[in-house]
Amino acid sequence: MLTHIDENNNPKMVDVSAKNETERKAVASGIIKMSREAYDIIKSGTAKKGPVLQTAIIAAIMGAKKTSELIPLTHPLSITSVKTEIEELPEIPAFKLFVSVKIKDKTGVEMEALTGVSIGLLTIYDMIKAVDKGMQISEIQLESKSGGKSGEYFRC
């Protein structure tokens, strides 16, 4: 039986009350590819809407914190830390966003990390779309997770 479906075939939130609280961490990443012009504007800090990367970092943190409001049946979590890192990929040109989320709770935090990446990258798109509507967001993926019954996972 699926965990998010009850005996009457209706959606339900999984009951995690019997699980132990453990420290859990998840790291996700994603890439936004763009034109050289858009990349250079972001790097130079001259985007008309303001500081693109700094705003994307704030958006990523907010996205992680709001995951239970956006993704049905996810549990609201007491997040203890959200960290971000943006890697510049000038040869593509692109930016790669990493979001790391930590909690001490009864359920995993992968969705929060993945949502943070998605919202952060969408913010970059929104802030520079006047220059490049052809940007591509791709490769949103879980990089690693730790804690909980299923243990550790590391992308190879």
Side-chain angles (χ1 to χ4, degrees), residues 115-133:
T115 301
V117 167
S118 299
I119 298 300
L121 294 175
L122 286 168
T123 298
I124 293 171
Y125 185 96
D126 180 56
M127 292 189 74
I128 203 74
K129 69 182 182 252
V131 176
D132 181 5
K133 289 180 180 38

Side-chain angles (χ1 to χ4, degrees), residues 63-76:
K65 290 170 56 175
K66 296 283 190 180
T67 298
S68 67
E69 297 175 31
L70 299 169
I71 308 294
L73 308 178
T74 57
H75 292 82

Side-chain angles (χ1 to χ4, degrees), residues 21-111:
E21 279 190 4
T22 61
E23 188 169 292
R24 298 160 188 261
K25 179 180 178 183
V27 179
S29 69
I31 295 174
I32 184 163
K33 299 174 186 172
M34 62 193 62
S35 67
R36 173 62 57 194
E37 179 186 10
Y39 182 88
D40 290 343
I41 288 170
I42 292 171
K43 283 284 295 161
S44 69
T46 58
K48 289 182 180 177
K49 288 189 173 184
V52 175
L53 299 181
Q54 293 88 337
T55 305
I57 288 168
I58 293 169
I61 293 167
M62 290 175 66
K65 290 170 56 175
K66 296 283 190 180
T67 298
S68 67
E69 297 175 31
L70 299 169
I71 308 294
L73 308 178
T74 57
H75 292 82
L77 300 175
S78 181
I79 293 173
T80 58
S81 173
V82 179
K83 294 182 179 175
T84 62
E85 178 184 335
I86 298 177
E87 183 179 333
E88 298 172 2
L89 305 171
E91 67 282 357
I92 295 178
F95 294 95
K96 185 171 186 176
L97 173 61
F98 293 86
V99 175
S100 172
V101 183
K102 284 175 52 174
I103 61 168
K104 184 169 185 176
D105 215 323
K106 296 180 176 204
T107 189
V109 73
E110 300 92 71
M111 292 307 300

